Amino acid sequence: MINVGLLGCGNVGHILARHAENFRIVAVFDIIPDRAQELAALSHAEPYADFDEFLRQDTDIIVEAASVAAVRRYGEAILGAGKDLVVLSGGALADDEFRTRLIEAARSAGRKIRVPSGAVTGLDNLKIGQISPLQTLLLRTTKSPGSLGISTPARMEIFKGMAHECIKQYPKNINVAVALGLAAGREADVELYVDPDVERNVHEIFAEGEFGDIYIRVRNVPSPENPATSYMAALSILTLLKNLDNPLVVGT
């Protein structure tokens, strides 16, 4: 049984607590103590308002489900304490300098940084880009205007450029672009649209290389408790944790 610590006690943490299988949540931390207390009661874990105390607990892996800022603030300390780290807020890894430091911290401690599939699919096959470079890697994301605090009567493009630039403007909304780039070995181009006629976040992935071409379209159902969270993203973490100690590995 794998002992898990949760960094961030929002909607994703609640989903993990309700569906824990092959792992147990033993410690939870949030900068808002009441949120940690609430999730601790649900998961039968111990709540912590002090990060250093949280880090001293008997956990094998820490799941970050908080924010880009939380990854940057706590990531190196988690790895240095001998814990594996699951990063849901992959936008933190868009910063080359920080990503290099985090990888070096993991290497020095003999630990792993794990980035789940999140709100998209296809990351495993996009890894072929690390061997045979992709000529095209594009993420086209469409969201409702309200989710980004925008009012518009018609579909509108609000960003076009590279992932590292998009993440600066929309740090909570484009983590998947960074995950795609990490998998493929090259940065993704991003087109971000708002459309008043869409009810779900839509991610379209275009990839092309010597192997041929890929087109993937994902329409995410929001989490029942928090429309700002993709239910698929939470399920991807559950799947990762469920299979950590499985001797049969499917996919690259």
Side-chain angles (χ1 to χ4, degrees):
M1 186 70 72
I2 297 168
N3 288 344
V4 174
L6 290 182
L7 170 57
C9 298
N11 180 243
V12 170
H14 282 70
I15 293 173
L16 298 184
R18 287 197 300 270
H19 300 282
E21 182 181 339
N22 292 4
F23 67 91
R24 60 188 170 205
I25 301 169
V26 299
V28 298
F29 168 79
D30 199 287
I31 59 174
I32 301 175
D34 287 349
R35 292 174 65 175
Q37 292 281 352
E38 180 185 358
L39 185 55
L42 178 63
S43 61
H44 307 291
E46 288 295 323
Y48 294 93
D50 180 85
F51 177 75
D52 291 334
E53 188 177 0
F54 164 73
L55 203 55
R56 287 193 291 269
Q57 304 312 303
D58 182 22
T59 52
D60 304 301
I61 189 166
I62 303 295
V63 175
E64 173 277 318
S67 65
V68 166
V71 179
R72 295 182 62 88
R73 181 174 181 180
Y74 302 117
E76 291 172 88
I78 290 169
L79 295 163
K83 322 282 187 180
D84 281 1
L85 172 62
V86 176
V87 176
L88 183 60
S89 302
L93 304 179
D95 183 319
D96 291 342
E97 182 181 348
F98 173 72
R99 185 176 69 251
T100 298
R101 291 204 318 267
L102 201 65
I103 292 171
E104 190 53 44
R107 183 177 289 114
S108 297
R111 308 312 301 177
K112 295 286 188 182
I113 306 162
R114 303 180 185 274
V115 180
S117 298
V120 294
T121 63
L123 293 188
D124 53 349
N125 278 338
L126 285 177
K127 290 179 183 179
I128 64 176
Q130 299 174 22
I131 307 300
S132 178
L134 303 180
Q135 282 80 57
T136 299
L137 180 61
L138 168 66
L139 172 69
R140 179 179 296 148
T141 292
T142 304
K143 299 195 170 198
S144 67
S147 68
L148 294 174
I150 294 172
S151 178
T152 178
R155 181 178 175 86
M156 178 176 69
E157 182 181 79
I158 60 172
F159 179 87
K160 183 175 183 178
M162 304 304 292
H164 76 277
E165 292 296 336
C166 191
I167 203 74
K168 292 176 184 177
Q169 298 183 42
Y170 304 98
K172 296 182 180 179
N173 294 279
I174 207 69
N175 287 311
V176 293
V178 177
L180 289 172
L182 292 173
R186 58 150 289 180
E187 188 174 11
D189 293 292
V190 176
E191 296 175 359
L192 182 57
Y193 291 83
V194 290
D195 188 335
D197 293 328
V198 301
E199 297 180 355
R200 302 180 184 180
N201 291 341
V202 180
H203 298 295
E204 296 174 276
I205 301 165
F206 303 82
E208 187 172 354
E210 293 179 343
F211 66 91
D213 60 87
I214 295 171
Y215 171 69
I216 299 171
R217 182 173 184 263
V218 181
R219 296 174 65 240
N220 288 127
V221 173
S223 174
E225 293 84 6
N226 182 0
T229 301
S230 162
Y231 190 45
M232 187 176 183
L235 293 177
S236 75
I237 299 179
L238 276 170
T239 305
L240 184 155
L241 294 173
K242 178 181 178 180
N243 287 282
L244 274 178
D245 58 357
N246 192 337
L248 176 63
V249 179
V250 179
T252 56

